[in-house]
Amino acid sequence: MQSSHPIGIFDSGFGGLTVFKAIKERLPQYDYLYLGDNARAPYGDRSLDIVYEYTLQAVEWMFKKGCPLIILACNTASAEALRKIQMNDLPRMGAEKRVLGVIRPTAEIIGQYTKNKAVGVLGTHGTIESYVYPVEISEFYPDVQVYQHACPMWVPMIENNEHHSAAAAHFVKQDLDKLLQQSEQIDTILLGCTHYPLLLDTIKANLPAGVQVITQGEIVADSLADYLQRHTEIEEQLSRGKTVSFYTTDSTVQFDKHGTAFFGEEVHAQHIRL
Ligand code: DGL
């Protein structure tokens, strides 16, 4: 029997660290296990079947490592794999286990930020083409108009540590312009990809006055804290040792270097194969 039952945090690569950071600050008492599938990132341009297959492999591996609860800290995996895993796979993998995503908690709250009732969503091709944000936001805020734009260049730049380059500034400006051209009413931009907060300074520098940008870390952390209060049967399974372990499917040297910069704390990853 496993002695540690950490909360599992999964992303295709480094982006989930932006969510993990907020979760760990909000809920420091638990053990955590972070897995980045860096070797196969980005997921954003991959087919639905492949994103599902890769995400399921990660979830199975994290369950074997003792996680009773996994957060898919990845919009692409949340959009393309979460529902299928919850419906088809969880019943056979253990009824007492849970996998949660980042889209629902964001959709629940995003309408509170916009005065003009016009939200712009930036994300990967996978997330944007799934239409999950317009659909889910309309469930909570039927009067909010959602405009979307995919930014396929952003994640590769971040995974390759090029997000402070002139090329990054060029693509950020170009993509923000394309989103904002869709409506002058947009006053709130949601970064619907957990990698994008790593470009936050560049994004803010290119935003017109009166347009605010929303990231998901704190939203997801608050929602998780609330979930654990409501679901004591899950909360009781979690171990409280304050340990953090990192795993990557790619080079640990790269992960430690960039992960430490992104996470703001010393990161030492172990390599695994999925
Ligand atoms: N960080 C992820 C997301 O939130 C995945 C990006 C990718 O791998 O393309 O969508």
Side-chain angles (χ1 to χ4, degrees):
M1 173 147 173
Q2 310 263 0
S3 56
S4 171
H5 297 285
I7 297 178
I9 315 269
F10 172 69
D11 181 47
S12 61
F14 293 116
L17 292 173
T18 64
V19 172
F20 181 24
K21 198 167 179 229
I23 290 179
K24 193 166 153 291
E25 268 165 30
R26 182 78 168 75
L27 300 163
Q29 64 271 40
Y30 299 111
D31 291 310
Y32 289 97
L33 183 160
Y34 183 91
L35 171 60
D37 190 8
N38 301 76
R40 303 189 293 194
Y43 278 14
D45 285 317
R46 295 191 184 277
S47 70
L48 207 95
D49 286 349
I50 289 291
V51 172
Y52 165 65
E53 185 186 315
Y54 288 178
T55 307
L56 181 59
Q57 286 171 358
V59 164
E60 282 174 332
W61 183 85
M62 292 170 105
F63 279 158
K64 281 197 193 115
K65 293 294 281 184
C67 300
L69 169 67
I70 296 170
I71 311 297
L72 301 183
C74 175
N75 289 267
T76 311
S78 299
E80 300 194 326
L82 177 63
R83 188 64 58 87
K84 208 165 160 190
I85 289 174
Q86 285 174 332
M87 295 186 41
N88 297 357
D89 302 294
L90 263 188
R92 80 179 153 79
M93 291 194 288
E96 71 298 344
K97 295 184 164 87
R98 293 289 180 276
V99 184
L100 305 175
V102 289
I103 291 171
R104 191 84 182 167
T106 312
E108 264 173 29
I109 203 161
I110 194 69
Q112 295 178 17
Y113 291 93
T114 172
K115 286 201 187 83
N116 296 349
K117 304 205 179 302
V119 173
V121 177
L122 297 172
T124 64
H125 270 142
T127 301
I128 298 305
E129 281 158 22
S130 74
Y131 266 83
V132 66
Y133 272 111
V135 169
E136 297 226 0
I137 293 172
S138 74
E139 279 179 33
F140 297 102
Y141 305 98
D143 53 345
V144 168
Q145 194 65 38
V146 179
Y147 301 89
Q148 305 197 96
H149 178 68
C151 313
M153 296 305 289
W154 294 17
V155 173
M157 285 188 304
I158 293 162
E159 284 290 311
N160 291 294
N161 207 25
E162 287 291 333
H163 53 294
H164 295 304
S165 64
H170 166 81
F171 282 110
V172 165
K173 183 170 179 352
Q174 180 174 288
D175 285 318
L176 284 174
D177 287 349
K178 283 187 182 158
L179 176 69
L180 291 167
Q181 274 159 17
Q182 295 181 41
S183 167
E184 285 179 0
Q185 292 302 307
I186 298 171
D187 61 0
T188 303
I189 294 181
L190 167 67
L191 302 187
C193 171
T194 57
H195 279 70
Y196 295 176
L198 297 162
L199 284 162
L200 195 56
D201 291 345
T202 314
I203 293 168
K204 283 185 173 165
N206 284 285
L207 278 185
V211 180
Q212 61 181 333
V213 59
I214 306 297
T215 58
Q216 295 176 294
E218 283 171 19
I219 294 173
V220 174
D222 286 347
S223 163
L224 178 60
D226 177 57
Y227 177 89
L228 292 174
Q229 268 190 350
R230 288 183 291 110
H231 294 271
T232 48
E233 76 288 1
I234 304 295
E235 201 279 336
E236 281 160 6
Q237 295 180 52
L238 301 171
S239 55
R240 295 166 165 252
K242 299 187 180 180
T243 65
V244 177
S245 43
F246 293 92
Y247 295 86
T248 177
T249 53
D250 205 345
S251 148
T252 55
V253 177
Q254 290 301 318
F255 192 93
D256 292 356
K257 195 166 138 213
H258 302 328
T260 300
F262 294 160
F263 195 54
E265 274 178 43
E266 198 70 20
V267 162
H268 294 289
Q270 297 170 58
H271 179 260
I272 60 137
R273 243 177 251 281
L274 284 175

